[in-house]
Amino acid sequence: MNENDITVDLAPGSKIDSVDFENLTFGNVFTDHMLICDYKNGVWDKPVIKPYEPFLIDPSAKVFHYGQAIFEGMKAYKDDNDDVWLFRPDQNYERFNKSATRLAMPEVPENVFMDGLKKLIEIEKAWVKKGKGNSLYIRPFMIATGPGVLAAPANFYRFMIILSPAKSYYSGEVKVLIAEHFSRAANGGIGAAKAAGNYSAQFYPTKLANEQGYQQVIWTDDATHTKLEEAGTMNVFFRINDTLYTAPTSERILDGVTRKSLIEVAKREGINVEVRPVLVSELVEAAENGTLQEVFGAGTAAVVNPIVGFSYKEKYYELPKQENSVALFLKEKLNNIQYKLAEDTFGWTVKI
Protein backbone atom coordinates (compact mmCIF):
# COMPACT_ATOMS: atom_id res chain seq x y z
CA MET A 1 0.00 0.00 0.00
CA ASN A 2 1.11 3.58 -0.63
CA GLU A 3 -0.47 7.00 -0.38
CA ASN A 4 -2.52 6.32 -3.52
CA ASP A 5 -4.26 3.44 -1.72
CA ILE A 6 -5.78 5.83 0.83
CA THR A 7 -9.36 6.92 0.23
CA VAL A 8 -9.61 10.72 0.46
CA ASP A 9 -12.90 12.53 1.09
CA LEU A 10 -12.11 16.24 1.20
CA ALA A 11 -14.11 18.72 3.28
CA PRO A 12 -16.20 21.12 1.17
CA GLY A 13 -14.44 24.10 2.77
CA SER A 14 -11.83 24.94 5.39
CA LYS A 15 -12.23 26.57 8.78
CA ILE A 16 -8.62 27.74 8.76
CA ASP A 17 -9.51 31.41 8.20
CA SER A 18 -11.54 31.45 11.42
CA VAL A 19 -8.59 30.30 13.56
CA ASP A 20 -6.54 32.82 15.56
CA PHE A 21 -3.09 31.30 15.16
CA GLU A 22 -1.54 33.88 17.48
CA ASN A 23 -3.67 32.82 20.45
CA LEU A 24 -3.91 29.04 20.32
CA THR A 25 -4.63 26.97 23.41
CA PHE A 26 -2.66 23.75 23.15
CA GLY A 27 -4.70 20.86 21.77
CA ASN A 28 -8.03 22.71 21.45
CA VAL A 29 -8.23 23.46 17.70
CA PHE A 30 -8.11 20.70 15.09
CA THR A 31 -7.58 20.77 11.35
CA ASP A 32 -10.19 20.04 8.68
CA HIS A 33 -9.44 16.34 8.19
CA MET A 34 -8.62 13.16 10.11
CA LEU A 35 -7.43 9.67 9.21
CA ILE A 36 -9.36 6.55 10.18
CA CYS A 37 -8.39 2.91 9.69
CA ASP A 38 -10.42 0.08 11.20
CA TYR A 39 -9.24 -3.39 12.20
CA LYS A 40 -11.84 -6.16 12.01
CA ASN A 41 -11.38 -9.87 12.65
CA GLY A 42 -7.65 -9.87 12.05
CA VAL A 43 -7.50 -7.58 9.00
CA TRP A 44 -6.85 -3.85 8.58
CA ASP A 45 -9.26 -1.98 6.28
CA LYS A 46 -8.15 0.60 3.74
CA PRO A 47 -7.34 3.92 5.47
CA VAL A 48 -9.71 6.84 4.91
CA ILE A 49 -9.00 10.56 5.19
CA LYS A 50 -12.25 12.43 5.76
CA PRO A 51 -13.56 15.66 7.33
CA TYR A 52 -12.91 15.97 11.07
CA GLU A 53 -16.15 15.05 12.83
CA PRO A 54 -17.58 13.00 15.71
CA PHE A 55 -18.33 9.32 15.07
CA LEU A 56 -20.71 6.74 16.51
CA ILE A 57 -19.44 3.97 18.76
CA ASP A 58 -21.17 1.12 20.58
CA PRO A 59 -21.78 1.83 24.30
CA SER A 60 -20.24 -1.56 25.13
CA ALA A 61 -17.04 -0.81 23.19
CA LYS A 62 -14.15 -2.19 25.22
CA VAL A 63 -12.28 1.10 25.26
CA PHE A 64 -14.93 2.34 27.72
CA HIS A 65 -14.87 -0.70 29.98
CA TYR A 66 -11.31 -2.02 29.90
CA GLY A 67 -9.28 0.96 28.78
CA GLN A 68 -7.68 -0.40 25.62
CA ALA A 69 -6.43 2.95 24.34
CA ILE A 70 -2.96 4.12 23.28
CA PHE A 71 -1.60 7.25 21.62
CA GLU A 72 1.50 9.09 20.43
CA GLY A 73 2.51 12.75 20.37
CA MET A 74 4.51 14.12 17.43
CA LYS A 75 5.04 17.41 15.61
CA ALA A 76 5.49 18.70 12.07
CA TYR A 77 7.49 21.86 11.35
CA LYS A 78 7.62 24.21 8.35
CA ASP A 79 10.97 25.66 7.30
CA ASP A 80 11.68 28.99 5.59
CA ASN A 81 11.22 27.35 2.16
CA ASP A 82 7.66 26.22 3.01
CA ASP A 83 8.76 22.59 3.23
CA VAL A 84 7.21 20.52 6.05
CA TRP A 85 9.31 18.16 8.16
CA LEU A 86 8.65 15.42 10.69
CA PHE A 87 11.03 14.75 13.57
CA ARG A 88 12.05 11.11 14.16
CA PRO A 89 8.65 9.64 13.20
CA ASP A 90 10.18 6.15 13.13
CA GLN A 91 10.67 6.35 16.89
CA ASN A 92 7.01 7.24 17.48
CA TYR A 93 5.89 4.46 15.16
CA GLU A 94 8.02 1.85 16.93
CA ARG A 95 6.85 2.97 20.36
CA PHE A 96 3.21 3.01 19.21
CA ASN A 97 3.38 -0.66 18.30
CA LYS A 98 5.21 -1.54 21.52
CA SER A 99 2.30 0.09 23.35
CA ALA A 100 -0.16 -1.85 21.20
CA THR A 101 1.54 -5.15 21.99
CA ARG A 102 1.54 -4.42 25.74
CA LEU A 103 -2.21 -3.72 25.70
CA ALA A 104 -3.01 -6.81 23.54
CA MET A 105 -3.95 -4.60 20.58
CA PRO A 106 -2.99 -5.26 16.94
CA GLU A 107 0.13 -3.60 15.58
CA VAL A 108 -0.56 -0.90 12.99
CA PRO A 109 1.22 -1.58 9.66
CA GLU A 110 3.97 0.91 8.87
CA ASN A 111 2.36 1.91 5.57
CA VAL A 112 -0.94 2.72 7.31
CA PHE A 113 0.82 4.82 9.98
CA MET A 114 3.53 6.51 7.89
CA ASP A 115 1.84 6.83 4.48
CA GLY A 116 -1.41 7.85 6.11
CA LEU A 117 0.34 10.45 8.25
CA LYS A 118 2.25 11.92 5.31
CA LYS A 119 -0.85 12.09 3.11
CA LEU A 120 -2.89 13.73 5.87
CA ILE A 121 -0.21 16.39 6.47
CA GLU A 122 0.10 17.03 2.72
CA ILE A 123 -3.62 17.83 2.68
CA GLU A 124 -3.34 20.02 5.80
CA LYS A 125 -0.04 21.71 4.87
CA ALA A 126 -1.56 25.21 5.21
CA TRP A 127 -2.15 24.51 8.92
CA VAL A 128 1.61 24.23 9.53
CA LYS A 129 2.73 27.81 10.09
CA LYS A 130 6.26 29.05 9.55
CA GLY A 131 8.31 30.58 12.33
CA LYS A 132 10.09 29.18 15.34
CA GLY A 133 7.60 28.10 17.96
CA ASN A 134 4.88 27.26 15.44
CA SER A 135 4.17 23.61 14.72
CA LEU A 136 1.47 21.09 13.93
CA TYR A 137 0.86 18.69 16.81
CA ILE A 138 0.11 15.16 15.59
CA ARG A 139 -1.95 12.75 17.67
CA PRO A 140 -2.06 9.17 16.37
CA PHE A 141 -4.17 6.93 18.61
CA MET A 142 -5.96 3.60 18.70
CA ILE A 143 -9.01 2.47 20.66
CA ALA A 144 -10.84 -0.83 21.10
CA THR A 145 -14.19 -0.44 19.30
CA GLY A 146 -15.26 -4.07 19.61
CA PRO A 147 -18.53 -4.50 21.54
CA GLY A 148 -19.15 -6.58 24.64
CA VAL A 149 -18.35 -6.35 28.34
CA LEU A 150 -16.54 -9.68 28.65
CA ALA A 151 -13.12 -8.90 30.18
CA ALA A 152 -11.02 -9.85 27.18
CA PRO A 153 -9.29 -8.03 24.30
CA ALA A 154 -11.58 -6.69 21.59
CA ASN A 155 -11.86 -8.04 18.04
CA PHE A 156 -12.35 -4.59 16.47
CA TYR A 157 -10.09 -1.54 16.77
CA ARG A 158 -9.90 1.93 15.26
CA PHE A 159 -6.61 3.70 14.47
CA MET A 160 -6.87 7.44 13.91
CA ILE A 161 -4.69 10.51 13.39
CA ILE A 162 -5.88 14.01 14.25
CA LEU A 163 -3.88 17.24 13.90
CA SER A 164 -3.79 20.40 15.99
CA PRO A 165 -1.87 23.64 15.23
CA ALA A 166 0.36 24.66 18.15
CA LYS A 167 2.29 27.67 19.35
CA SER A 168 5.41 27.68 21.46
CA TYR A 169 4.42 26.04 24.76
CA TYR A 170 5.03 28.12 27.88
CA SER A 171 3.58 27.12 31.23
CA GLY A 172 5.05 29.88 33.39
CA GLU A 173 7.16 29.13 36.45
CA VAL A 174 6.91 25.46 37.34
CA LYS A 175 7.28 24.31 40.94
CA VAL A 176 7.08 20.59 41.60
CA LEU A 177 6.22 18.30 44.48
CA ILE A 178 8.24 15.09 44.83
CA ALA A 179 5.86 12.16 45.28
CA GLU A 180 6.15 10.35 48.60
CA HIS A 181 3.12 8.07 48.22
CA PHE A 182 1.68 8.09 44.69
CA SER A 183 3.40 6.39 41.76
CA ARG A 184 3.08 6.90 38.04
CA ALA A 185 3.71 3.23 37.25
CA ALA A 186 4.92 -0.06 38.72
CA ASN A 187 7.26 -2.85 37.65
CA GLY A 188 5.37 -5.29 35.48
CA GLY A 189 2.78 -2.63 34.64
CA ILE A 190 2.20 -0.44 31.59
CA GLY A 191 4.38 2.57 32.47
CA ALA A 192 6.58 2.10 29.39
CA ALA A 193 3.49 2.07 27.13
CA LYS A 194 1.85 5.30 26.04
CA ALA A 195 -1.47 4.09 27.40
CA ALA A 196 -4.32 6.51 28.08
CA GLY A 197 -4.83 5.15 31.59
CA ASN A 198 -1.32 6.17 32.66
CA TYR A 199 -2.33 9.79 32.26
CA SER A 200 -5.72 9.63 33.96
CA ALA A 201 -4.02 7.97 36.95
CA GLN A 202 -1.82 11.04 37.32
CA PHE A 203 -4.65 13.54 37.44
CA TYR A 204 -5.64 13.07 41.10
CA PRO A 205 -2.16 13.35 42.71
CA THR A 206 -1.42 16.28 40.38
CA LYS A 207 -4.66 17.93 41.53
CA LEU A 208 -3.54 17.54 45.16
CA ALA A 209 -0.18 19.11 44.26
CA ASN A 210 -1.95 21.98 42.48
CA GLU A 211 -3.95 22.68 45.61
CA GLN A 212 -0.66 23.13 47.49
CA GLY A 213 0.66 25.59 44.90
CA TYR A 214 2.71 23.18 42.77
CA GLN A 215 2.18 22.74 39.03
CA GLN A 216 3.49 19.20 38.65
CA VAL A 217 4.62 16.08 40.49
CA ILE A 218 8.01 14.43 40.15
CA TRP A 219 7.15 10.75 40.33
CA THR A 220 9.23 8.32 42.35
CA ASP A 221 9.56 4.55 42.08
CA ASP A 222 6.64 2.51 43.36
CA ALA A 223 8.65 0.20 45.64
CA THR A 224 10.75 2.60 47.73
CA HIS A 225 9.88 6.16 46.61
CA THR A 226 13.60 6.91 46.70
CA LYS A 227 14.31 7.12 42.95
CA LEU A 228 13.31 10.08 40.77
CA GLU A 229 11.56 8.99 37.59
CA GLU A 230 9.42 11.45 35.59
CA ALA A 231 8.08 15.00 35.99
CA GLY A 232 4.38 15.39 35.29
CA THR A 233 3.89 13.86 31.84
CA MET A 234 7.53 14.38 30.86
CA ASN A 235 10.91 12.75 31.31
CA VAL A 236 13.09 14.69 33.75
CA PHE A 237 16.74 15.82 33.83
CA PHE A 238 18.86 17.07 36.74
CA ARG A 239 21.99 19.18 36.33
CA ILE A 240 24.34 18.78 39.29
CA ASN A 241 27.54 20.79 38.87
CA ASP A 242 28.15 20.40 35.12
CA THR A 243 26.72 16.91 34.65
CA LEU A 244 23.24 16.07 33.40
CA TYR A 245 21.56 13.09 35.03
CA THR A 246 18.40 11.30 33.91
CA ALA A 247 16.85 7.97 34.84
CA PRO A 248 17.20 5.02 32.46
CA THR A 249 14.10 3.84 30.67
CA SER A 250 12.42 0.83 32.22
CA GLU A 251 9.03 -0.83 32.58
CA ARG A 252 8.02 2.26 34.57
CA ILE A 253 9.58 5.04 32.50
CA LEU A 254 8.53 6.11 29.01
CA ASP A 255 11.19 5.99 26.29
CA GLY A 256 10.71 9.66 25.36
CA VAL A 257 11.79 10.76 21.87
CA THR A 258 12.68 14.24 23.15
CA ARG A 259 14.59 12.68 26.06
CA LYS A 260 16.78 10.49 23.86
CA SER A 261 17.30 13.36 21.39
CA LEU A 262 18.44 15.76 24.13
CA ILE A 263 20.89 13.15 25.40
CA GLU A 264 22.44 12.84 21.93
CA VAL A 265 22.58 16.62 21.40
CA ALA A 266 24.16 17.12 24.83
CA LYS A 267 26.85 14.53 24.08
CA ARG A 268 27.56 16.17 20.71
CA GLU A 269 27.96 19.52 22.45
CA GLY A 270 30.43 18.12 24.96
CA ILE A 271 28.05 18.12 27.93
CA ASN A 272 28.61 15.27 30.36
CA VAL A 273 25.49 13.06 30.59
CA GLU A 274 24.92 10.15 32.96
CA VAL A 275 21.93 7.88 32.47
CA ARG A 276 21.42 6.17 35.82
CA PRO A 277 18.95 6.03 38.72
CA VAL A 278 18.87 9.39 40.54
CA LEU A 279 17.97 9.29 44.23
CA VAL A 280 15.76 11.81 46.00
CA SER A 281 18.47 12.02 48.68
CA GLU A 282 21.02 13.05 46.02
CA LEU A 283 18.76 15.83 44.79
CA VAL A 284 18.12 17.16 48.30
CA GLU A 285 21.82 17.00 49.17
CA ALA A 286 22.78 18.82 45.95
CA ALA A 287 20.14 21.49 46.62
CA GLU A 288 21.45 21.98 50.15
CA ASN A 289 25.15 22.17 49.23
CA GLY A 290 24.61 24.41 46.19
CA THR A 291 25.64 21.97 43.47
CA LEU A 292 22.13 21.53 42.04
CA GLN A 293 21.99 23.89 39.04
CA GLU A 294 18.89 22.94 37.04
CA VAL A 295 15.94 20.56 36.86
CA PHE A 296 13.83 20.35 33.70
CA GLY A 297 11.20 18.22 32.06
CA ALA A 298 11.54 17.03 28.45
CA GLY A 299 8.68 16.14 26.12
CA THR A 300 7.08 16.77 22.75
CA ALA A 301 4.77 19.64 23.72
CA ALA A 302 7.28 21.94 25.42
CA VAL A 303 10.58 20.28 24.33
CA VAL A 304 12.09 21.59 27.58
CA ASN A 305 10.18 22.80 30.64
CA PRO A 306 12.48 24.39 33.28
CA ILE A 307 11.59 23.81 36.94
CA VAL A 308 12.27 26.66 39.39
CA GLY A 309 11.99 24.68 42.63
CA PHE A 310 10.83 21.50 44.30
CA SER A 311 9.29 20.43 47.59
CA TYR A 312 10.07 17.27 49.53
CA LYS A 313 8.79 16.34 52.98
CA GLU A 314 7.23 19.79 53.32
CA LYS A 315 10.50 21.62 52.67
CA TYR A 316 10.84 23.80 49.57
CA TYR A 317 14.11 24.11 47.65
CA GLU A 318 14.50 27.04 45.24
CA LEU A 319 16.82 26.50 42.29
CA PRO A 320 19.43 29.15 41.43
CA LYS A 321 18.78 31.52 38.50
CA GLN A 322 20.94 30.50 35.57
CA GLU A 323 22.90 32.94 33.42
CA ASN A 324 23.76 30.09 31.04
CA SER A 325 20.98 27.54 31.24
CA VAL A 326 21.92 24.15 29.81
CA ALA A 327 18.20 23.36 29.50
CA LEU A 328 17.54 26.37 27.26
CA PHE A 329 20.78 25.80 25.34
CA LEU A 330 19.73 22.24 24.51
CA LYS A 331 16.20 23.37 23.61
CA GLU A 332 17.63 25.90 21.16
CA LYS A 333 19.91 23.30 19.58
CA LEU A 334 17.07 20.78 19.20
CA ASN A 335 14.61 23.38 17.88
CA ASN A 336 17.16 24.49 15.29
CA ILE A 337 17.31 20.93 13.96
CA GLN A 338 13.51 20.59 13.95
CA TYR A 339 12.99 23.89 12.09
CA LYS A 340 15.90 23.21 9.69
CA LEU A 341 17.81 26.23 10.99
CA ALA A 342 20.88 24.08 11.64
CA GLU A 343 22.34 21.03 9.96
CA ASP A 344 20.69 17.79 11.04
CA THR A 345 23.88 15.82 11.76
CA PHE A 346 21.82 12.93 13.16
CA GLY A 347 19.51 12.31 10.18
CA TRP A 348 16.42 12.76 12.34
CA THR A 349 14.25 14.97 10.10
CA VAL A 350 11.95 13.54 7.42
CA LYS A 351 10.54 15.68 4.62
CA ILE A 352 6.84 15.40 3.79
Side-chain angles (χ1 to χ4, degrees), residues 216-238:
Q216 291 178 6
V217 175
I218 289 187
W219 308 103
T220 50
D221 69 290
D222 63 300
T224 66
H225 295 290
T226 60
K227 298 172 186 174
L228 298 157
E229 303 214 315
E230 293 194 13
T233 59
M234 310 175 82
N235 295 115
V236 64
F237 287 80
F238 310 93

Side-chain angles (χ1 to χ4, degrees), residues 9 46 51-52 57 74 102 111 130 144 153 166 207 222 234 255 258 270 277 285-286 290 295 314 316 332:
D9 174 18
K46 187 175 179 179
Y52 184 96
I57 186 168
M74 311 163 63
R102 182 62 185 82
N111 49 18
K130 279 196 293 194
K207 174 177 175 283
D222 63 300
M234 310 175 82
D255 185 13
T258 303
E285 182 182 351
V295 180
E314 300 185 354
Y316 180 70
E332 178 82 2

Side-chain angles (χ1 to χ4, degrees), residues 72-298:
E72 274 297 324
M74 311 163 63
K75 281 183 177 178
Y77 308 85
K78 185 174 280 185
D79 68 16
D80 290 338
N81 299 318
D82 282 330
D83 291 322
V84 177
W85 299 82
L86 296 172
F87 181 73
R88 306 190 76 177
D90 58 315
Q91 298 296 307
N92 294 97
Y93 170 69
E94 288 176 17
R95 189 172 65 184
F96 189 86
N97 277 340
K98 286 179 182 177
S99 298
T101 298
R102 182 62 185 82
L103 271 78
M105 304 171 84
E107 290 192 8
V108 175
E110 186 172 3
N111 49 18
V112 172
F113 189 105
M114 290 297 190
D115 293 342
L117 173 58
K118 290 175 181 176
K119 185 68 174 179
L120 182 61
I121 293 176
E122 275 180 22
I123 291 168
E124 306 289 49
K125 188 175 180 181
W127 289 82
V128 194
K129 297 301 182 184
K130 279 196 293 194
K132 209 165 183 183
N134 295 319
S135 62
L136 187 68
Y137 183 75
I138 303 162
R139 174 54 65 94
F141 64 101
M142 180 164 53
I143 59 172
T145 52
V149 294
L150 177 69
N155 292 321
F156 303 158
Y157 295 87
R158 173 162 286 189
F159 170 69
M160 298 186 63
I161 304 176
I162 56 177
L163 308 173
S164 177
K167 290 287 288 181
S168 183
Y169 185 93
Y170 177 68
S171 58
E173 288 202 342
V174 175
K175 297 178 181 180
V176 298
L177 187 66
I178 293 180
E180 297 175 50
H181 171 70
F182 293 104
S183 296
R184 177 188 172 275
N187 282 334
I190 58 172
K194 211 157 169 63
N198 288 343
Y199 296 81
S200 59
Q202 295 181 30
F203 293 160
Y204 176 66
T206 302
K207 174 177 175 283
L208 297 180
N210 294 162
E211 289 169 355
Q212 296 179 58
Y214 301 95
Q215 285 71 47
Q216 291 178 6
V217 175
I218 289 187
W219 308 103
T220 50
D221 69 290
D222 63 300
T224 66
H225 295 290
T226 60
K227 298 172 186 174
L228 298 157
E229 303 214 315
E230 293 194 13
T233 59
M234 310 175 82
N235 295 115
V236 64
F237 287 80
F238 310 93
R239 178 185 163 208
I240 299 174
N241 287 320
D242 288 320
T243 298
L244 274 183
Y245 298 90
T246 192
T249 56
S250 68
E251 288 183 306
R252 303 185 307 275
I253 298 176
L254 192 72
D255 185 13
V257 178
T258 303
R259 170 194 174 276
K260 67 177 76 175
S261 303
L262 289 173
I263 290 170
E264 290 302 310
V265 171
K267 288 178 178 177
R268 185 191 70 181
E269 297 297 326
I271 297 167
N272 191 35
V273 181
E274 288 191 25
V275 178
R276 65 163 177 80
V278 182
L279 300 177
V280 179
S281 58
E282 286 183 85
L283 189 69
V284 170
E285 182 182 351
E288 289 179 341
N289 67 25
T291 57
L292 179 62
Q293 304 299 317
E294 295 180 80
V295 180
F296 59 93

